[in-house]
Amino acid sequence: MDAKRNDLLTGFYEKMVLINTVESSLLNLFAEGLLRGTVHTCLGQEAIPTGVCAALEPGRDIVCSNHRGHGHFLAFGGEARPLIAEIMGDASGVCRGIGGSQHIQLGNFYSNGILGGMSPVATGMALAEKRKGSGGVVVQFLGDGALAEGVVSEAFNMAALWSLPILFAVESNGFAQSTPTALEHAGKLSARGAPYGIPITELDGNDVLAVHAAAQEAVGAARGAGGPQILFMNTYRLGPHSKGDDPRDPAEIARHAEQAPIPRARAGLDPEWCDTTDHRIAAEVAAIIQGIRSARIAAQ
Amino acid sequence: MDAKRNDLLTGFYEKMVLINTVESSLLNLFAEGLLRGTVHTCLGQEAIPTGVCAALEPGRDIVCSNHRGHGHFLAFGGEARPLIAEIMGDASGVCRGIGGSQHIQLGNFYSNGILGGMSPVATGMALAEKRKGSGGVVVQFLGDGALAEGVVSEAFNMAALWSLPILFAVESNGFAQSTPTALEHAGKLSARGAPYGIPITELDGNDVLAVHAAAQEAVGAARGAGGPQILFMNTYRLGPHSKGDDPRDPAEIARHAEQAPIPRARAGLDPEWCDTTDHRIAAEVAAIIQGIRSARIAAQ
Amino acid sequence: MNAPLPASTTYAKSLNAALLEMMREDERIYFLGEDILDPYGGAFKISKGLSSAFPDRVITTPISEAGFTGLATGMALRGLRPIVEIMFGDFLAIAADQIINHMAKFVTMYGRDLEVPVVVRTPMGGGRGYGATHSQSLEKIFLGTPNLTVVAPSHAHDPGQLLRNAVALGRPVLFIEHKMLYPETLLASGGALMIEPLTDEPFPTMLMKNFSRGAADVLIVAYGGMSRLLAPLARQMAEEEINLAIALPALLSPMTVAPLLPLAAQCGRVLLVEEGTTGFDWGAEVAAQLYAATYKTLKAPIARLASRAEIIPTSTAGENAMLVGAADIESKILELLA
Amino acid sequence: MNAPLPASTTYAKSLNAALLEMMREDERIYFLGEDILDPYGGAFKISKGLSSAFPDRVITTPISEAGFTGLATGMALRGLRPIVEIMFGDFLAIAADQIINHMAKFVTMYGRDLEVPVVVRTPMGGGRGYGATHSQSLEKIFLGTPNLTVVAPSHAHDPGQLLRNAVALGRPVLFIEHKMLYPETLLASGGALMIEPLTDEPFPTMLMKNFSRGAADVLIVAYGGMSRLLAPLARQMAEEEINLAIALPALLSPMTVAPLLPLAAQCGRVLLVEEGTTGFDWGAEVAAQLYAATYKTLKAPIARLASRAEIIPTSTAGENAMLVGAADIESKILELLA
Ligand SMILES: Cc1ncc(C[n+]2csc(CCOP(=O)(O)OP(=O)(O)O)c2C)c(N)n1
Ligand SMILES: Cc1ncc(C[n+]2csc(CCOP(=O)(O)OP(=O)(O)O)c2C)c(N)n1
Ligand SMILES: [Mg+2]
Ligand SMILES: [Mg+2]
């Protein structure tokens, strides 16, 4: 592995571990009763936010995220403290505790909890950036399940019709909530954008370097007037859909855990450095949470 | 041309002339002020309703129609008098004058004025017929413009997922109201159902025998547990979108008129018989309209 | 038609049991929605066990709320009796066209009455910190839709029985369940509370009283999840000797105030409570009708309580401040009596 | 802010002229919808000439009402000022989720105020025999939606100026135009009628009176297309010496009755008129608020008129029987005065 590739990978590893640590901590907080509502974690899917967002320029590019958006937020440059505080419903959160896990906005980052609903909104943003000549590209993250919403098809059509700078980043984890893809999608899911003439790249979404390379290419094409792009990334969710019960076979989950993005990245890195990094980030996140807790207690 | 083919063609010719005559008469009634609201005629598109509905069994098959549905109604076995009366808002109409041009139901025929909205409804009917084991097939007529409604994509997915007996019959006349297809659809429109694994046949929708043959095959496949089918039929609307203004170049319309279904069918038939048929049907439709008028005057 | 309540079952269990029973009795009943198969059994577990018992008639759908709502309409038009679950009531907005311009229209649009026996059930309401798009009480956008019946049982009703009645109606029903009611044990008369039906329709109004002698001081009219706040409040106020008559209509639309008039006239003070946001709400129609029917006989203007006309925050503090709460109701009652 | 009305222009021309002017003045304004390009210029010709003058900023869309409404929201979030045309107001139901759960939510859902300058305009109403899915007054499903402003100018307003004000608002506006008003010449004082603004907001309430001396016998509150029925009726009743004060609010939601109170108190008789179907309608909220604010001072219960809670028939006879008409209004006035 060359030096540049190694630099990239260490950076990605750090980001993925941060995402993983924040998500695990959120599940713990939920179990502790310190967090209400709902929380969809992207455990096992860390390569996609990390690789895709590394191909973006947060100053001019835009991310439209969905219900499973914490990783997108962190990978796009958002900080862990205001994110965690937000999900804990704290007034110091990025949206003053009002938005919560599924409704987050900061700068060029927007999320909403209605599946598929952000697709036309993101398409409109891409139209605006194109007309303003900003050079900005919009990334719209979508789960495989959300592809069944009609409004996503409408967005595909409009984005292609007007050749807009948007990347539809599909995180295909094989499930929507409890339902396997085969029970809710006919035919070839990755080809949904094909009749609109949108270029589609299907790839292993657990290989962070591959995700990043594909995203760079797709974002570059979109920025260079190549119109909309689709990345169809295969991955697997290691955690429950939100909190609590998971009807899947634990053996299946364990099998996928071996192929998860973090162990895969780790295989190309110095194990000692990885351990140090893991501990450092664990400590950082723990400190953030401790800080929020203390402030809460102090305020009472 | 063999005898059977000739029998078919004469029957189709009569039906197409009936449709054409009713539609023209409706436009005249509108111009006369005897008909309010809106009226979308299928002048120039007569082959599609005629050929498709001839492949159906009105007793068990179902037609879900759209805003341009008079031809579908007549071709599916509906009578001209109650149809015309309905569109004239007469209490003797098939829906007592309440539904009007876009909202007609009788037996297994249903239409509605919301573009694309009948696609999931038709899909549900197909599910019901399948579960009841009736052997019935549902035909859902759709314009090219309506394919942009997201709910149509949702219906494609469900129909294919559950392998339902439904035929999506697309009448692609190159326009939606005033807008040419290229201004509202990206990519390859006929391929929209492809990613769902739905078999698609694209064909000349002005050749009534070809339409009928394709419909027979598609309906047969759907009935035989082959799941949903798409016929993508290219045609051209010779009349205005509804009544009144037509922004298209008259020369373009004239060029297409030569290739319209009725002149094309006529070319394979005895011209004298055709003339007699034309006159007979004209007289029949005129008598129907005269009857409705007289009854109206009598009622006043 | 309205059998006695089974002892101490929950709102969720009542619905689940009714579904199982109905599907056993009637082959035309289908159940459709997202993530409804066992072992998951639906986001709120209302369909638990259904797919195991009736694998052919329980259909898990793609995430296409408009699509599968329309699908159900088509099934209903062709002789089946589908029950649709919309996972969160907020997503009804996606299916609005299918409900308003298709399902409800077909009943009479063709100049004759068609049977359209379809029930769309959905959990509404806040209180769980789900945030702006998963906590609303959006039923009000469907109230007044011609040919659409909107029903919202409180936990003083037997929700399972009402669901049976909805399926039996033969016309489109939107069936609203407050998500905070699911774990609640159904209310029955006992202690300070007397509960009885005020009307004998398929979707009756239940009357909950916290007194046995004397007259009511205030008539409260509320529906759905509000019973969760009102039952404890009524118990508490019984000790303070404030007599409350609480009418809980299950039938939101179409609606008549006629059964409420004797009570309204009797106490002269009326409070309307709902969780939806204020303005153009359920209470507006109730108030307008009540005022017209009791004209000048009330002792005070009708009080209306609803949630603030804002989006619903995720944080506990924000949600509590925004949604109507027991404290708001209590102080309105005291205000009315002052 | 509300310039004097140009002499004898129509409702449609006023809108068209305002659009042309606004787009000339502000490069951020885009116009989106179905079939809006020249020479067709939109189903009701409101966008005539726009695409010729501003080819880059007039975008004809696919038949995807949810999609292009969401598109406009995205444009608005990123600094543009889109105006969306929904060809028939009935199709708003398709875009309900995009309006309620996206457009309106973004304004405050993120804990801070975001600018979402988007206007959705659409023709509503019956009277042209278009039938059940092209004749409704569906605005009522959006009334009371937090963060959504609903505006419906009558032809006593200057609709073009109100559209300018809607675009300037910086927040989502649903702008309702009754399709029967398009060919109407805008009303101005003259003959028996006096017209003046009652309030001075961006979306003012206009007051139309058919008398110059004495007091009003009845206060009528109505909006949008109802002015078409009310203006001739007011002229006719002037001859019968029945004094009518007709308040025509343009701002439907959010709404306050405060400006109406002096008039209501003065005449003590109030009639509310709207074309939407009866029940859970605009008038319910107006009535509830008016009753509360005028408690026991009115001379008679508030009268409410709306269309029958049925689907809208195509036939002339059916449509006339179902929709609220001038004769219904007249007899309600006489009833109030009896
Ligand atoms: C319109 C809508 N329908 C349903 C839901 C409830 N819901 C939340 S996440 C989810 C599954 C989504 O699956 P997918 O899109 O594959 O994303 P994943 O959760 O797998 O990341 C569902 C059904 C929702 N939030 N919005
Ligand atoms: C949901 C919806 N949007 C818009 C319309 C208005 N409208 C009626 S017909 C039409 C064009 C339809 O084009 P297409 O589907 O190609 O059918 P065609 O008229 O060409 O037969 C439009 C936009 C409608 N009826 N329904
Ligand atoms: Mg998934
Ligand atoms: Mg067409």
Side-chain angles (χ1 to χ4, degrees):
Chain A
M1 185 178 290
D2 62 29
K4 190 168 157 236
R5 208 173 139 82
N6 197 60
D7 276 0
L8 268 182
L9 193 59
T10 55
F12 291 163
Y13 183 85
E14 285 182 306
K15 189 67 86 181
M16 295 198 296
V17 170
L18 174 68
I19 293 171
N20 184 284
T21 310
V22 168
E23 296 287 49
S24 309
S25 307
L26 290 170
L27 285 181
N28 292 338
L29 286 168
F30 193 92
E32 256 192 87
L34 278 167
L35 194 156
R36 283 198 322 155
T38 190
V39 53
H40 305 95
T41 67
C42 67
L43 294 167
Q45 305 186 190
E46 301 89 352
I48 295 175
T50 303
V52 170
C53 293
L56 301 178
E57 300 172 24
R60 61 171 174 170
D61 294 331
I62 296 167
V63 167
C64 283
S65 172
N66 59 2
H67 63 292
R68 202 175 297 289
H70 312 154
H72 308 143
F73 181 84
L74 293 170
F76 193 53
E79 285 173 30
R81 196 200 175 284
L83 175 71
I84 297 171
E86 181 63 30
I87 299 166
M88 290 176 74
D90 202 272
S92 69
V94 51
C95 298
R96 296 178 42 221
I98 288 174
S101 167
Q102 302 194 82
H103 317 99
I104 290 180
Q105 189 270 330
L106 183 69
N108 286 353
F109 184 94
Y110 305 80
S111 72
N112 199 6
I114 303 287
L115 292 174
M118 286 303 271
S119 288
V121 176
T123 304
M125 292 179 171
L127 177 63
E129 298 310 313
K130 181 173 175 172
R131 295 308 178 97
K132 293 187 292 177
S134 72
V137 171
V138 182
V139 174
Q140 145 82 130
F141 285 103
L142 279 166
D144 46 346
L147 287 175
E149 290 287 1
V151 88
V152 177
S153 302
E154 298 183 357
F156 283 172
N157 184 37
M158 294 189 294
L161 183 64
W162 301 316
S163 193
L164 301 179
I166 180 166
L167 164 60
F168 296 97
V170 181
E171 304 182 79
S172 181
N173 59 12
F175 283 87
Q177 202 145 331
S178 71
T179 308
T181 305
L183 285 185
E184 49 183 30
H185 287 295
K188 193 165 152 56
L189 185 60
S190 62
R192 288 293 155 84
Y196 305 94
I198 306 180
I200 301 167
T201 307
E202 182 166 357
L203 68 149
D204 177 352
N206 282 1
D207 177 343
V208 70
L209 289 171
V211 169
H212 180 242
Q216 274 200 315
E217 198 164 319
V219 170
R223 207 186 302 286
Q229 312 286 322
I230 292 175
L231 290 184
F232 190 92
M233 296 170 280
N234 295 301
T235 182
Y236 190 85
R237 158 168 64 70
L238 291 177
H241 167 68
S242 47
K243 66 278 156 168
D245 58 337
D246 190 334
R248 296 171 305 175
D249 180 0
E252 175 189 317
I253 300 176
R255 218 169 35 245
H256 279 95
E258 291 166 25
Q259 296 304 315
I262 292 179
R264 288 211 2 218
R266 211 180 153 98
L269 294 167
D270 172 24
E272 221 166 296
W273 176 84
C274 288
D275 286 344
T276 317
T277 304
D278 295 0
H279 290 306
R280 175 174 52 79
I281 292 174
E284 282 166 15
V285 172
I288 286 171
I289 292 171
Q290 194 47 51
I292 300 172
R293 286 183 187 221
S294 310
R296 260 202 195 180
I297 292 163
Q300 274 165 6
Chain B
M1 186 179 291
D2 61 29
K4 191 171 155 232
R5 210 173 138 83
N6 198 60
D7 278 0
L8 268 183
L9 193 59
T10 55
F12 292 164
Y13 182 84
E14 285 182 306
K15 189 67 85 182
M16 294 198 296
V17 170
L18 174 67
I19 293 172
N20 183 286
T21 308
V22 168
E23 295 287 48
S24 309
S25 309
L26 290 170
L27 284 181
N28 292 337
L29 287 168
F30 193 91
E32 257 192 86
L34 278 166
L35 194 156
R36 284 197 322 156
T38 192
V39 53
H40 305 95
T41 68
C42 67
L43 294 167
Q45 305 186 189
E46 301 88 351
I48 295 174
T50 303
V52 170
C53 292
L56 301 179
E57 299 172 23
R60 62 171 174 170
D61 294 331
I62 297 168
V63 167
C64 284
S65 173
N66 60 1
H67 63 294
R68 202 175 297 288
H70 312 155
H72 308 144
F73 181 83
L74 294 170
F76 193 54
E79 286 174 30
R81 196 202 176 286
L83 176 71
I84 296 172
E86 180 63 30
I87 298 166
M88 291 176 74
D90 203 89
S92 69
V94 49
C95 298
R96 296 178 43 221
I98 287 173
S101 167
Q102 303 193 81
H103 317 98
I104 291 181
Q105 189 269 331
L106 183 71
N108 286 352
F109 182 93
Y110 305 80
S111 73
N112 199 6
I114 303 288
L115 293 174
M118 287 302 273
S119 289
V121 176
T123 304
M125 292 179 172
L127 178 63
E129 297 311 314
K130 181 173 174 171
R131 293 310 177 96
K132 292 187 293 178
S134 70
V137 171
V138 182
V139 174
Q140 143 83 130
F141 285 103
L142 278 167
D144 45 347
L147 287 175
E149 290 288 2
V151 87
V152 177
S153 303
E154 298 183 358
F156 283 173
N157 185 38
M158 293 188 295
L161 183 63
W162 300 317
S163 193
L164 301 179
I166 180 166
L167 164 60
F168 296 98
V170 181
E171 305 183 78
S172 181
N173 58 11
F175 283 87
Q177 203 145 330
S178 71
T179 307
T181 304
L183 285 185
E184 49 182 30
H185 286 296
K188 192 167 153 57
L189 185 59
S190 61
R192 287 294 156 84
Y196 305 95
I198 306 180
I200 301 166
T201 307
E202 182 166 357
L203 68 148
D204 178 352
N206 282 2
D207 177 344
V208 68
L209 290 171
V211 170
H212 179 242
Q216 273 200 313
E217 197 164 320
V219 170
R223 207 186 303 285
Q229 312 286 320
I230 292 176
L231 290 184
F232 190 91
M233 295 170 281
N234 294 300
T235 183
Y236 190 85
R237 157 167 64 70
L238 291 178
H241 167 68
S242 47
K243 65 278 156 168
D245 59 336
D246 191 334
R248 296 171 304 174
D249 180 1
E252 175 189 316
I253 300 176
R255 216 166 39 244
H256 279 95
E258 292 167 23
Q259 295 304 316
I262 292 179
R264 292 224 342 233
R266 211 179 153 98
L269 294 168
D270 172 23
E272 220 166 296
W273 176 85
C274 288
D275 286 344
T276 318
T277 304
D278 295 0
H279 289 307
R280 176 175 52 80
I281 291 174
E284 282 167 15
V285 172
I288 286 171
I289 291 172
Q290 194 46 52
I292 300 173
R293 284 184 190 220
S294 312
R296 260 201 196 181
I297 292 164
Q300 273 164 9
Chain C
M1 206 146 191
N2 294 292
L5 297 179
S8 71
T9 187
T10 66
Y11 194 91
K13 279 190 197 143
S14 164
L15 290 168
N16 178 257
L19 284 168
L20 277 161
E21 217 175 86
M22 276 192 276
M23 291 192 73
R24 196 171 303 125
E25 291 164 10
D26 187 345
E27 286 213 327
R28 298 169 302 173
I29 297 180
Y30 280 69
F31 192 86
L32 307 165
E34 294 161 6
D35 296 290
I36 56 174
L37 299 187
D38 288 335
Y40 195 76
F44 293 92
K45 312 303 171 201
I46 305 303
S47 61
K48 200 99 188 167
L50 276 194
S51 68
S52 305
F54 312 101
D56 291 344
R57 291 191 282 129
V58 178
I59 303 179
T60 195
T61 64
I63 304 174
S64 309
E65 287 81 3
F68 65 77
T69 301
L71 188 94
T73 301
M75 293 167 71
L77 282 169
R78 302 301 302 181
L80 303 182
R81 304 195 149 239
I83 301 171
V84 176
E85 173 170 298
I86 302 283
M87 192 189 280
F88 283 80
D90 312 69
F91 313 153
L92 275 181
I94 304 177
D97 171 68
Q98 281 296 329
I99 295 173
I100 295 170
N101 287 327
H102 293 81
M103 188 184 286
K105 289 281 184 295
F106 296 141
V107 179
T108 56
M109 180 171 73
Y110 299 126
R112 65 187 70 91
D113 285 6
L114 292 194
E115 282 245 309
V116 192
V118 47
V119 177
V120 179
R121 0 172 332 271
T122 195
M124 287 280 191
R128 290 188 56 168
Y130 287 146
T133 60
H134 288 62
S135 309
Q136 300 168 91
S137 295
L138 284 189
E139 58 271 20
K140 76 176 185 181
I141 73 180
F142 296 98
L143 302 179
T145 301
N147 297 333
L148 182 69
T149 302
V150 185
V151 174
S154 73
H155 76 313
H157 290 90
D158 177 353
Q161 183 57 47
L162 267 57
L163 185 57
R164 298 177 68 99
N165 299 349
V167 171
L169 194 66
R171 297 162 60 103
V173 177
L174 184 56
F175 196 90
I176 306 295
E177 304 158 8
H178 196 293
K179 58 174 82 72
M180 296 298 282
L181 288 181
Y182 287 138
E184 292 286 324
T185 300
L186 296 180
L187 289 169
S189 291
L193 298 189
M194 255 112 341
I195 298 173
E196 57 182 13
L198 186 65
T199 60
D200 189 29
E201 303 140 350
F203 312 112
T205 295
M206 298 301 285
L207 182 64
M208 177 158 78
K209 294 197 292 188
N210 71 347
F211 59 97
S212 47
R213 289 173 317 144
D217 297 311
V218 176
L219 167 64
I220 299 179
V221 191
Y223 73 85
M226 293 301 90
S227 58
R228 219 184 99 251
L229 308 182
L230 289 166
L233 188 65
R235 283 193 203 97
Q236 173 204 315
M237 290 199 140
E239 287 173 26
E240 299 160 21
E241 298 192 354
I242 296 177
N243 289 358
L244 301 178
I246 301 174
L248 297 159
L251 180 61
L252 303 192
S253 175
M255 193 265 301
T256 163
V257 297
L260 305 175
L261 295 180
L263 280 163
Q266 214 176 72
C267 54
R269 295 189 172 84
V270 182
L271 167 61
L272 313 178
V273 190
E274 69 195 294
E275 186 176 309
T277 55
T278 189
F280 299 98
D281 46 22
W282 168 81
E285 179 67 34
V286 180
Q289 284 194 28
L290 272 178
Y291 273 121
T294 62
Y295 190 60
K296 292 202 179 173
T297 64
L298 296 179
K299 293 186 187 131
I302 294 169
R304 289 165 64 194
L305 263 182
S307 296
R308 278 154 57 176
E310 295 170 5
I311 63 99
I312 305 178
T314 292
S315 72
T316 310
E319 199 178 21
N320 288 344
M322 184 270 174
L323 293 177
V324 104
D328 303 311
I329 303 174
E330 186 177 2
S331 55
K332 262 289 183 246
I333 294 171
L334 298 177
E335 225 174 83
L336 267 175
L337 292 173
Chain D
M1 205 147 189
N2 294 293
L5 297 180
S8 70
T9 187
T10 66
Y11 193 91
K13 280 191 197 141
S14 163
L15 291 167
N16 179 256
L19 285 168
L20 277 162
E21 217 174 86
M22 274 192 277
M23 291 192 75
R24 197 171 301 124
E25 290 164 12
D26 188 344
E27 287 213 325
R28 296 169 303 175
I29 298 181
Y30 281 69
F31 192 87
L32 307 165
E34 294 162 5
D35 296 291
I36 57 173
L37 299 187
D38 289 334
Y40 194 77
F44 292 92
K45 311 303 170 200
I46 305 303
S47 61
K48 200 100 187 166
L50 276 195
S51 68
S52 305
F54 312 101
D56 291 345
R57 290 191 281 129
V58 177
I59 303 179
T60 196
T61 63
I63 305 174
S64 308
E65 287 80 5
F68 65 79
T69 300
L71 188 94
T73 301
M75 293 167 71
L77 283 170
R78 301 302 300 182
L80 303 182
R81 302 194 152 241
I83 301 171
V84 176
E85 173 170 298
I86 302 283
M87 191 189 279
F88 282 79
D90 311 69
F91 313 152
L92 275 180
I94 304 177
D97 172 67
Q98 281 295 328
I99 294 173
I100 295 170
N101 287 327
H102 293 82
M103 189 184 285
K105 289 283 184 294
F106 295 142
V107 178
T108 56
M109 180 171 72
Y110 298 126
R112 63 186 73 90
D113 285 7
L114 292 194
E115 283 244 310
V116 192
V118 48
V119 177
V120 179
R121 356 173 336 270
T122 195
M124 287 281 190
R128 291 188 57 169
Y130 287 146
T133 60
H134 287 62
S135 310
Q136 299 168 90
S137 296
L138 283 189
E139 60 270 21
K140 77 176 184 183
I141 71 180
F142 296 98
L143 302 179
T145 301
N147 297 332
L148 183 68
T149 302
V150 185
V151 174
S154 74
H155 75 313
H157 289 91
D158 178 352
Q161 183 57 47
L162 266 56
L163 185 57
R164 299 176 68 98
N165 300 349
V167 171
L169 194 67
R171 297 161 61 104
V173 177
L174 184 56
F175 196 90
I176 305 297
E177 304 158 8
H178 195 292
K179 57 174 80 74
M180 295 298 281
L181 288 181
Y182 286 138
E184 293 285 324
T185 300
L186 296 181
L187 289 170
S189 291
L193 297 189
M194 256 115 340
I195 297 173
E196 58 182 13
L198 186 65
T199 60
D200 189 30
E201 303 140 349
F203 312 112
T205 296
M206 298 301 287
L207 182 64
M208 177 159 79
K209 293 196 294 188
N210 70 348
F211 59 96
S212 47
R213 289 174 315 145
D217 296 312
V218 176
L219 168 65
I220 299 179
V221 191
Y223 72 85
M226 292 302 90
S227 58
R228 219 184 98 253
L229 309 181
L230 289 167
L233 189 65
R235 283 194 202 97
Q236 173 203 316
M237 290 200 139
E239 287 171 25
E240 300 160 20
E241 298 193 354
I242 296 176
N243 290 357
L244 300 177
I246 302 173
L248 297 159
L251 181 62
L252 303 192
S253 175
M255 192 266 300
T256 163
V257 297
L260 305 174
L261 295 179
L263 281 162
Q266 216 176 71
C267 54
R269 294 189 173 82
V270 182
L271 167 61
L272 312 179
V273 190
E274 68 195 294
E275 187 176 310
T277 54
T278 191
F280 299 98
D281 46 21
W282 168 81
E285 179 67 34
V286 179
Q289 284 194 29
L290 272 178
Y291 273 120
T294 62
Y295 187 59
K296 289 200 181 174
T297 64
L298 296 178
K299 294 185 187 132
I302 295 170
R304 288 165 65 193
L305 264 182
S307 297
R308 278 154 58 177
E310 295 170 4
I311 63 98
I312 305 177
T314 291
S315 72
T316 310
E319 200 178 22
N320 288 344
M322 184 270 175
L323 293 177
V324 102
D328 303 312
I329 303 174
E330 188 177 0
S331 56
K332 262 289 184 244
I333 293 171
L334 298 176
E335 224 175 83
L336 267 175
L337 291 173

